[in-house]
Amino acid sequence: LVAITVILSFGVINVSASSGYVTISFQDYGIRGSDKGDFPHQLGKIINKTKVKINKNDTIATVTLRLLKEKGIKPSYIGKPEMGGGFYLTTVSGKKVSDGYGLGEFSVGSESGWMISYNNWFINKGASEFYVKNNDEIKWQFTATGLGKDIGCDRSEERRVGKECR
């Protein structure tokens, strides 16, 4: 009875209240090969490291979409951002990324697209397969050749990044 009285006295706890911040950045330092596509030159930092407030049940995808909306950058993706949604970011467009189509999958040849480094580890699943927690670091990095080899990742195996990827 005491527990019920305490719960009734304080009301319902907001379970989606902020539980910290993650840092997210977007960068293009992918090394161009012979097929330079729509973006023959690296764009460098597209979004500098930015703190994004997180809520309960946020995934890499949900916090990423929140940041892109805040920055006025339009994402194109497949799947859903919620846990288990099979989220895959295909393209970002707007502001610094403005060729009309956006920077993304196949923009600079058949091996180009967005990859994610999560706490210095290139993830091997979709962005909706990982819940985020306070102080996580998420780097969206554009690979232009080698399916990630140009930015320090061999997608054929899951491995820790031994160095900062530019």
Side-chain angles (χ1 to χ4, degrees):
L1 184 60
V2 173
I4 294 171
T5 304
V6 171
I7 291 171
L8 292 176
S9 299
F10 292 104
V12 177
I13 297 171
N14 182 359
V15 293
S16 65
S18 173
S19 56
Y21 292 87
V22 295
T23 303
I24 304 175
S25 61
F26 272 78
Q27 57 191 19
D28 168 19
Y29 290 106
I31 298 170
R32 277 33 178 188
S34 60
D35 183 357
K36 301 200 185 301
D38 298 327
F39 293 89
H41 305 288
Q42 298 170 342
L43 297 179
K45 292 180 182 175
I46 296 167
I47 298 177
N48 289 324
K49 289 182 178 182
T50 304
K51 282 190 170 187
V52 178
K53 191 183 296 186
I54 59 173
N55 301 310
K56 183 176 178 162
N57 296 326
D58 268 340
T59 64
I60 293 173
T62 58
V63 294
T64 296
L65 292 178
R66 192 175 306 133
L67 173 65
L68 292 174
K69 182 177 181 180
E70 176 186 308
K71 297 290 186 182
I73 296 176
K74 183 179 186 255
S76 295
Y77 58 90
I78 57 173
K80 295 180 181 178
E82 295 78 22
M83 179 53 77
F87 182 93
Y88 173 73
L89 182 67
T90 56
T91 307
V92 294
S93 58
K95 292 194 177 186
K96 193 172 181 181
V97 186
S98 60
D99 76 332
Y101 299 102
L103 180 64
E105 183 179 48
F106 310 129
S107 293
V108 185
S110 63
E111 297 180 339
S112 64
W114 289 105
M115 293 184 69
I116 312 157
S117 173
Y118 178 54
N119 296 326
N120 288 325
W121 172 63
F122 283 101
I123 65 173
N124 60 349
K125 297 180 181 179
S128 60
E129 306 305 314
F130 296 87
Y131 285 117
V132 294
K133 60 189 180 316
N134 191 35
N135 294 321
D136 281 347
E137 184 174 358
I138 301 160
K139 293 180 192 173
W140 287 88
Q141 300 174 73
F142 186 75
T143 178
T145 56
L147 299 170
K149 289 180 183 176
D150 60 331
I151 58 171
C153 175
D154 182 351
R155 273 188 76 96
S156 67
E157 64 181 71
E158 181 179 290
R159 67 180 185 90
R160 289 253 167 217
V161 178
K163 60 182 174 27
E164 188 72 20
C165 290
R166 295 189 203 217

